[in-house]
Amino acid sequence: MSEGERLTELAKRRGFYFPSSSAYGGAAGFWTYGPQGAALKSNVEDAWRDRYVVKEGHQEISAPDVMPEPVFEASGHLDGFDDMIVECGECGATHRADHLVEDNTDIEEAESLPNEEVMELIAEHGIECPSCHASLADRPVDNFNLMFETNIGPGSSSPGYLRPETAQGIFVEFPQLSEYARNQLPFGVAQIGKAYRNEISPRKSLVRVREFTQAELEHFVDPEEDEPPLSEVADVTLPLYSAAEQQAADGGQRELTVREAVDEGVVESEWVAYYLGVSKGWYERIGVDMDRFRYRQHLAGERAHYASDCWDAESEVDGDWIEITGFAYRGDYDLSKHAEHSGEDFTVFKQYDEPVTVERATVDPDMSYLGPEFGGSAGAVADALEALAERNPDAFDADEVTVEVDGEDYTVPVAETNFSVDEVTENGEHVRPHVVEPSFGVSRIIYTVLAHSYETDEVDGEERTYLSLPAEQAPTTVGVFPLMDKDGMDDLAREIADDLRTAGLSVTYDDSGAIGRRYRRQDEVGTPYCVTVDYESLEEDTVTVRERDTTEQKRLPVDGLAETLEQLSTGDRTFDDL
């Protein structure tokens, strides 16, 4: 049984996650989090908020899952949010073409290749349909848009889409959100929520799904002035797999500090480097195995059109590297596009310390000329002239000036534009921020944490399976058991469980079966501590506390037990110190 199969079996049996709607045959790519999984997911999200919202001093919002079509026209998702699809000519099954190449060759990132090259590789390697084993050679490789479409309201006049990322819910609200930040850069806006992608071939349980949770931070910065607090993470060592190393014949992963990575130009953006450093500590905190972790830089062909540099945090599970987070410097692409399509102002006003006098090119087009000459396009021509004067005042040196509106050229006599260059005193300027984006896939992170914490050993001659989850992330902090359900042990155990819950600890109570079996059940869901009430507890007011990973046990007084367990779960005390 592979690592992934073992994990999926445990996840279903112990209530972490399982396929949704199985009573009706299910639908690929949709999973339900059970009681253990929902608690683990909540704990991971809380840890993310603590690090990226609270400690970084950012805001958090919650935007709708459905957004109107113009949002995605502006963002580029309608035209460019595609994956490669190939359809079997025999059985009609559709498959993700680049994944077929990766599964059947040594090529790791086929997504970065052109469709034509992927089609050639399928033929060259004799790749077959996974469903019916017919040859896929010469089958066309096309683009398939991943957006889920819907209608907003009755009829079809208001098309909308389930969001494919949470980021657009932040970008479209920038004018309002910047007011909440008092128009002071830098500021960050975070969001944890659902995203939806109509994946061609959902697979590997939580790894490739059609509905998933993202935790995204959009950090808005002044590209001319704002710098990250790089000194805070300068000495953090990063496992980096750069684009250059990926393309080199003998390339491999390099261990560089954040400072070294920036100084050597391996990571171009200091902001991206800062978040790589911050995030490494967070991954360790939630239980990612650093021996099975790396940062991989996007190759030119796979980098998103908006990103000048992009790195993925990747975890190794079952021999495959899985992207769990993307770190991108998005520039001003998103805000520029939404400003262009909406006509709203997606800038902040930066006040100067002292007023400055500058030369400013302006136009005041004569509409009595533009109107009769250009009709309904006159207003757009006037706007284009104004933009040209700001962008390239030298264009007005000739007798005529030409602007383009909706693909058509319009020529205007310069005299009719009332072009001038004047000295003006300014108190500030409008700045369109650049965006730094760490985007975390919560489902894949949970899958990684479970896989990396899955352990087996032998206890009392029997094989034991347990999850070595950090106490902060474990679905349940404490299991409370009466040794036997009689003679008042059950009453005391229930009283202790209630007291621990009142103290804020997550507690499960179990009086079913042999004590060893109860321990094993808690080990398999990662409960770090178990408390057992026995006859000695009734006489001396003490209990046995067992630690999950070592199975070591210690006798502790009931008085102060909640405080002790809280200190253990937060790392303020160790079990050896008791």
Side-chain angles (χ1 to χ4, degrees):
M1 188 180 292
S2 69
E3 182 178 25
E5 290 170 338
R6 287 198 308 268
L7 184 58
T8 299
E9 186 277 330
L10 174 66
K12 182 176 181 180
R13 180 163 50 82
R14 289 303 184 197
F16 281 96
Y17 56 84
F18 47 86
S20 298
S21 306
S22 58
Y24 294 91
F30 296 94
W31 294 78
T32 294
Y33 285 94
Q36 304 297 335
L40 173 60
K41 182 173 181 285
S42 178
N43 291 342
V44 169
E45 291 171 358
D46 287 345
W48 190 88
R49 281 191 179 91
D50 176 66
R51 187 62 193 85
Y52 295 94
V53 180
V54 177
K55 286 187 170 59
E56 293 294 319
H58 297 316
Q59 309 174 41
E60 182 180 359
I61 69 165
S62 179
D65 290 4
V66 176
M67 304 180 77
E69 184 177 63
V71 171
F72 301 110
E73 290 178 349
S75 68
H77 283 89
L78 288 186
D79 295 328
F81 197 64
D82 305 317
D83 278 340
M84 301 180 200
I85 189 171
V86 60
E87 181 177 347
C88 177
E90 292 293 326
C91 70
T94 55
H95 306 285
R96 178 88 178 257
D98 52 323
H99 286 172
L100 292 178
V101 170
E102 292 169 1
D103 292 343
N104 291 276
T105 72
D106 294 331
I107 297 172
E108 294 185 1
E109 299 299 332
E111 182 182 7
S112 65
L113 303 176
N115 289 19
E116 295 78 11
E117 186 172 344
V118 170
M119 182 177 172
E120 292 171 1
L121 288 167
I122 289 174
E124 177 185 339
H125 291 274
I127 296 176
E128 299 177 344
C129 171
S131 300
C132 72
H133 303 294
S135 172
L136 294 175
D138 301 324
R139 296 297 300 171
V141 173
D142 299 316
N143 287 328
F144 174 76
N145 190 278
L146 303 178
M147 301 275 283
F148 276 107
E149 186 175 6
T150 186
N151 291 310
I152 300 174
S156 58
S157 60
S158 298
Y161 292 86
L162 295 175
R163 61 186 183 187
E165 61 178 13
T166 64
Q168 298 306 320
I170 295 174
F171 294 138
V172 298
E173 309 301 348
F174 176 81
Q176 186 72 39
L177 296 172
S178 63
E179 289 188 18
Y180 298 147
R182 302 181 305 283
N183 287 302
Q184 299 295 308
L185 294 174
F187 70 90
V189 180
Q191 182 171 198
I192 299 176
K194 295 286 190 180
Y196 306 84
R197 298 179 185 178
N198 196 12
E199 291 285 348
I200 297 167
S201 302
R203 59 180 187 171
K204 295 185 178 179
S205 65
L206 300 184
V207 174
R208 190 161 296 279
V209 293
R210 290 175 167 140
E211 178 191 84
F212 55 97
T213 300
Q214 285 185 309
E216 292 194 301
L217 170 64
E218 310 304 329
H219 197 161
F220 301 100
V221 302
D222 183 335
E224 301 297 327
E225 292 188 0
D226 295 332
E227 297 180 350
L230 210 60
S231 60
E232 295 179 7
V233 295
D235 296 329
V236 174
T237 300
L238 305 176
L240 300 175
Y241 191 30
S242 68
E245 292 294 329
Q246 293 172 59
Q247 295 170 321
D250 57 348
Q253 182 176 302
R254 298 179 64 196
E255 303 285 332
L256 297 174
T257 66
V258 171
R259 173 56 64 195
E260 290 169 341
V262 170
D263 289 347
E264 294 184 23
V266 177
V267 180
E268 295 179 13
S269 165
E270 290 193 1
W271 278 105
V272 169
Y274 170 73
Y275 279 112
L276 295 183
V278 166
S279 298
K280 186 190 176 190
W282 184 77
Y283 294 124
E284 290 181 286
R285 168 182 170 181
I286 65 169
V288 175
D289 183 351
M290 288 295 105
D291 291 331
R292 304 169 69 184
F293 174 85
R294 71 184 183 188
Y295 288 117
R296 187 187 67 82
Q297 187 178 29
H298 279 205
L299 300 172
E302 64 178 312
R303 191 165 58 232
H305 55 277
Y306 52 72
S308 60
D309 192 20
C310 188
W311 289 77
D312 285 344
E314 295 185 332
S315 66
E316 184 274 318
V317 179
D318 221 0
D320 293 329
W321 286 98
I322 300 167
E323 173 197 348
I324 58 176
T325 306
F327 299 84
Y329 190 91
R330 297 179 74 125
D332 66 351
Y333 172 85
D334 302 280
L335 298 187
S336 294
K337 286 295 184 182
H338 286 301
E340 175 187 340
H341 282 74
S342 70
E344 297 293 324
D345 183 14
F346 281 73
T347 65
V348 297
F349 184 74
K350 182 171 70 175
Q351 187 85 25
Y352 296 148
D353 293 335
E354 295 181 1
V356 297
T357 300
V358 298
E359 288 189 341
R360 183 73 66 206
T362 61
V363 293
D364 185 15
D366 186 349
M367 298 305 293
S368 65
Y369 170 81
L370 296 186
E373 186 72 16
F374 304 122
S377 299
V381 171
D383 291 340
L385 288 169
E386 183 178 345
L388 180 61
E390 181 179 346
R391 183 175 71 251
N392 182 21
D394 293 343
F396 292 81
D397 289 346
D399 293 334
E400 294 180 328
V401 62
T402 300
V403 294
E404 182 180 317
V405 175
D406 293 333
E408 186 174 347
D409 289 342
Y410 295 84
T411 300
V412 183
V414 170
E416 303 296 344
T417 68
N418 291 316
F419 173 81
S420 64
V421 178
D422 305 310
E423 284 193 351
V424 296
T425 299
E426 297 182 342
N427 295 312
E429 65 179 314
H430 286 273
V431 174
R432 179 163 290 131
H434 283 198
V435 176
V436 187
E437 179 194 69
S439 174
F440 295 71
V442 174
S443 300
R444 291 185 176 190
I445 289 172
I446 289 171
Y447 184 79
T448 294
V449 168
L450 287 173
H452 288 191
S453 67
Y454 188 104
E455 305 279 358
T456 59
D457 63 4
E458 187 175 296
V459 175
D460 297 331
E462 294 183 2
E463 183 177 283
R464 175 180 73 127
T465 298
Y466 67 101
L467 298 178
S468 59
L469 294 168
E472 180 188 33
Q473 306 309 316
T476 303
T477 308
V478 190
V480 177
F481 315 142
L483 182 64
M484 289 180 284
D485 195 16
K486 64 178 184 178
D487 297 335
M489 285 181 280
D490 53 338
D491 294 333
L492 179 57
R494 292 183 186 280
E495 181 182 332
I496 290 172
D498 289 342
D499 289 344
L500 296 179
R501 292 190 185 103
T502 301
L505 295 171
S506 175
V507 179
T508 187
Y509 180 88
D510 189 355
D511 58 9
S512 175
I515 193 70
R517 291 286 175 256
R518 285 181 264 173
Y519 284 148
R520 299 296 180 271
R521 286 196 286 267
Q522 294 310 308
D523 290 343
E524 279 201 316
V525 297
T527 304
Y529 306 105
C530 290
V531 172
T532 301
V533 174
D534 53 21
Y535 284 110
E536 192 174 342
S537 302
L538 302 177
E539 298 171 0
E540 300 182 2
D541 209 24
T542 61
V543 292
T544 297
V545 178
R546 175 185 180 269
E547 195 270 338
R548 176 197 62 213
D549 292 356
T550 64
T551 71
E552 184 180 353
Q553 300 184 20
K554 295 195 176 183
R555 199 80 193 177
L556 297 179
V558 172
D559 185 33
L561 181 62
E563 182 180 359
T564 298
L565 290 170
E566 174 67 25
Q567 291 171 340
L568 289 171
S569 64
T570 58
D572 292 332
R573 294 184 70 177
T574 68
F575 202 73
D576 289 339
D577 293 335
L578 299 180

